[in-house]
Amino acid sequence: MKTIQAAWERWIFRGILFAVIVLGVGYNVVTPPWQFPDEFGHFDYVRFVQAEQQFPSYEFRTDSWEYHQPPLYYAMQAAMTWPFLGTSIPTQMFVGRVFSLFIGLASIVVARAFLKKLFPSDLWNVVFGTAFFAFLPMNLYMMSGINNDVVANLFGALVLLALMVLVQQKHASNRNLVIFGIILGLSLLTKVTLYPLSFLVFSIGLVVLWRRGELSLKRGLLACVPILVIAGSWWVWNVVAVGHPLGWSKIQAFNDLMKREDWMNPSGIWDWISTWAYSMIGRFDYFNIAIVFEKGYALFGLIFFVGLVGQRWAWKEASREERRWFVLLYAIVILVVSEVFYYNLTVYQPQGRYGLVALLGLVVFVTIGWRAFVKLWPVVIQWGVYAGIIGFLLFINLYQIRAMHRIYSTRVADQYKLDEEYLHNKWVNPQKIVMLQSPAGLTFDLLPAQLTAKSVFSQNRFSSDEIQDIRITLIAPQAGDVCLTWRTTFEREFGKHDEECIGYPQGASEAQFAWKKPLRPIVMGELQLRFPSAWDKVQLKSVQVRVDRDAHWKSRQPRWN
């Protein structure tokens, strides 16, 4: 019977991996360039490594806000995408995203291995936990883009698996101690968010060895030396480059820019918690696209609520060893959430993706809570319940991919033909915000004269290096200045912008405005077209933008190319 159960568990697991590949490629294809969180910054880091064959020392600019990150992910991406340097930027991005997806697949394999060791006699927990880990929308979405979160999430699961192997051995071998140290050392090269988890796991590993009488100076060094060699090389680089082993001084300029203190009150804290929780489940693009399915968040809330209620019975039935692991996993979740909350005291970023390094703890919480209820029912009903939840997870991702395709394709549809309201002699009130797109996907907002952060709806990303020229033809009721404003994404938060204006002549029947490379060098920015508030009507006849998508990186080719 156990052989049969193991066989169907393997087949279900293969189905999970196949579904993740299909859904991950779906998120990849429907998401335009740069629309995954911080994707431009991560991609720019990769291109820097390829061009310079070294990791960047740090000087804060709007195109280098990820340069402070530990280097493991970027070294891997640089090596994997190197053969594609001669292709277009969209092709390189597609390849980089696929590589991230395979790192995500590795994290699912590790999560399943951990769950099999934690629940060796209950394959229901293994199947359900693996599926929940794989199909949580935010986790699957982040697997599909270029970002270092995906490798941090992999090592968040891998260090726990390494600890599990160490603990379950009657006598830890020297080989496993070295592997334990190597995994922990590499985890410190993924993302600083993982540091508390890794140090906690390391401490517990040493305590376990000490309590079993297996810890000696020699065996302790077998675990510590790999950590010091692997992570220590990065710490020394940071000390030489910026004077701090963790590179904290690298991001001080960014922290100063993003600092916000007005949320530390009951209402602000509740907003932070709710925003963080929603984005842990799923917030897409630059967190401005929610789960589109109307009852999506409510159904996830029900899943977590049942998991919470079931804890009482799950703990009663758990063995002493299982309870110890439950305590550790829940402590890790609390530790990571506390760490992110503390970070937000300086830099306000209530992004649930930072908590995905502790996703295994959340998975075990939900899994054992549901198992406490479901195991009371007949086997057929158990199948139905688990199949229903996994089916819901698949559906919510498919529905989201379809919805995001519709959202993005609505913008793409406007790239080649402006809305008839603006082309066929119909007057437009400039007080109304409208969005027009060029063939490059660049959005213009027609705004009132007063430019404020709140009046900007678009989340478009562009590099000023990419823009060759901008030409706009219009008819206006009277003389006035037509202004093109631009700013970086970070400046948008603080109402800062640059502006270049061209006068519309008195009595003109039609005028064409041409901005030839009007922008200071920036990446990840926004453009707005602004008219005088005195104009009560504007006839916009055409908007033309010539763009070279590869221009930003043409000067960053490898030295021997």
Side-chain angles (χ1 to χ4, degrees), residues 346-414:
T346 303
V347 180
Y348 187 76
Q349 290 185 305
Q351 300 179 18
R353 64 189 174 102
Y354 296 142
L356 292 176
V357 294
L359 182 56
L360 259 182
L362 187 63
V363 165
V364 169
F365 174 87
V366 173
T367 298
I368 66 172
W370 272 88
R371 188 63 179 143
F373 286 113
V374 173
K375 70 188 304 183
L376 302 175
W377 302 331
V379 174
V380 174
I381 297 179
Q382 294 182 36
W383 272 94
V385 170
Y386 285 126
I389 297 175
I390 294 173
F392 163 72
L393 294 171
L394 288 169
F395 165 78
I396 207 75
N397 282 287
L398 283 169
Y399 195 92
Q400 189 68 27
I401 290 170
R402 178 177 177 272
M404 290 173 66
H405 173 69
R406 186 171 64 251
I407 291 169
Y408 289 128
S409 63
T410 299
R411 301 178 187 176
V412 172
D414 290 338

Side-chain angles (χ1 to χ4, degrees), residues 99-172:
F99 177 63
S100 288
L101 181 60
F102 277 95
I103 296 176
L105 289 171
S107 70
I108 297 170
V109 173
V110 172
R112 177 211 183 208
F114 178 86
L115 292 170
K116 288 185 73 173
K117 286 186 172 295
L118 183 60
F119 305 112
S121 60
D122 195 337
L123 293 180
W124 288 106
N125 281 345
V126 177
V127 170
F128 180 67
T130 303
F132 195 84
F133 183 95
F135 297 133
L136 184 72
M138 196 64 203
N139 192 37
L140 181 52
Y141 178 70
M142 293 304 295
M143 289 179 193
S144 309
I146 298 175
N147 60 83
N148 65 341
D149 295 80
V150 65
V151 75
N153 300 342
L154 167 62
F155 276 88
L158 196 56
V159 295
L160 288 171
L161 178 61
L163 179 63
M164 175 73 80
V165 171
L166 198 69
V167 169
Q168 288 188 345
Q169 279 189 324
K170 291 183 179 180
H171 181 80

Side-chain angles (χ1 to χ4, degrees), residues 181-215:
I182 291 173
I183 291 173
L184 284 167
L186 290 173
S187 74
L188 300 178
L189 297 185
T190 61
K191 198 176 179 80
V192 176
T193 314
L194 200 58
Y195 273 49
L197 189 159
S198 296
F199 282 119
L200 177 62
V201 168
F202 175 71
S203 301
I204 292 173
L206 292 183
V207 169
V208 168
L209 293 175
W210 173 73
R211 292 192 63 182
R212 296 196 311 209
E214 300 178 20
L215 185 63

Side-chain angles (χ1 to χ4, degrees), residues 47 67 136 151 220 233 260 277 304 341 424 471 487 522:
R47 292 303 298 265
Y67 281 9
L136 184 72
V151 75
S233 60
R260 177 181 165 188
F304 290 122
F341 184 85
H424 295 342
R471 297 178 184 275
R487 58 188 169 192
I522 61 174

